[in-house]
Amino acid sequence: MFCTHCGNKLDPSSRFCPACGTSVPLAATPFVDLFSSTGKLVRPRLNRMVAGVCVAFAQQYGWDLTVVRIVTALLIVLTGVGALAYIAAWVIIPEEPLVLPTKSI
Ligand SMILES: [Zn+2]
């Protein structure tokens, strides 16, 4: 791949042109990666502090659980919107199904 600004040859993994500093457009930007996930959003039964909403998002998108909790706490304390969003997520996101031991008769 080549720089769209100066035509310099670029390393496929580089995000900026080393010659002119132009940012290289990527198909998969970090922001897209932030929300790419597989599987269903559920509230896990383990590791939760209140309702498992933070754990659900952290597990689903591979975010750091501590960071998610801090951001959530800040949103709740600073805006109040966070509390509504948390309760909404609590209601909307289904709880992880209980894993029951399979019966063998
Ligand atoms: Zn360039």
Side-chain angles (χ1 to χ4, degrees):
M1 62 194 283
F2 295 92
C3 175
T4 54
H5 188 250
C6 68
N8 188 45
K9 194 176 189 307
L10 297 172
D11 190 84
S13 64
S14 63
R15 294 175 57 201
F16 294 94
C17 172
C20 68
T22 305
S23 64
V24 178
L26 289 173
T29 62
F31 184 77
V32 172
D33 284 342
L34 203 60
F35 289 99
S36 68
S37 65
T38 55
K40 203 161 169 274
L41 186 64
V42 290
R43 289 184 287 114
R45 291 175 184 273
L46 296 173
N47 249 336
R48 57 169 57 174
M49 283 185 99
V50 182
V53 173
C54 294
V55 189
F57 282 105
Q59 279 193 359
Q60 178 76 355
Y61 300 112
W63 298 339
D64 191 296
L65 179 56
T66 310
V67 174
V68 175
R69 280 184 175 146
I70 291 169
V71 170
T72 306
L74 285 176
L75 284 175
I76 290 171
V77 171
L78 296 179
T79 67
V81 180
L84 283 175
Y86 190 94
I87 293 168
W90 188 343
V91 173
I92 292 165
I93 301 170
E95 195 157 44
E96 183 184 48
L98 267 178
V99 182
L100 297 171
T102 49
K103 281 182 185 171
S104 55
I105 306 167

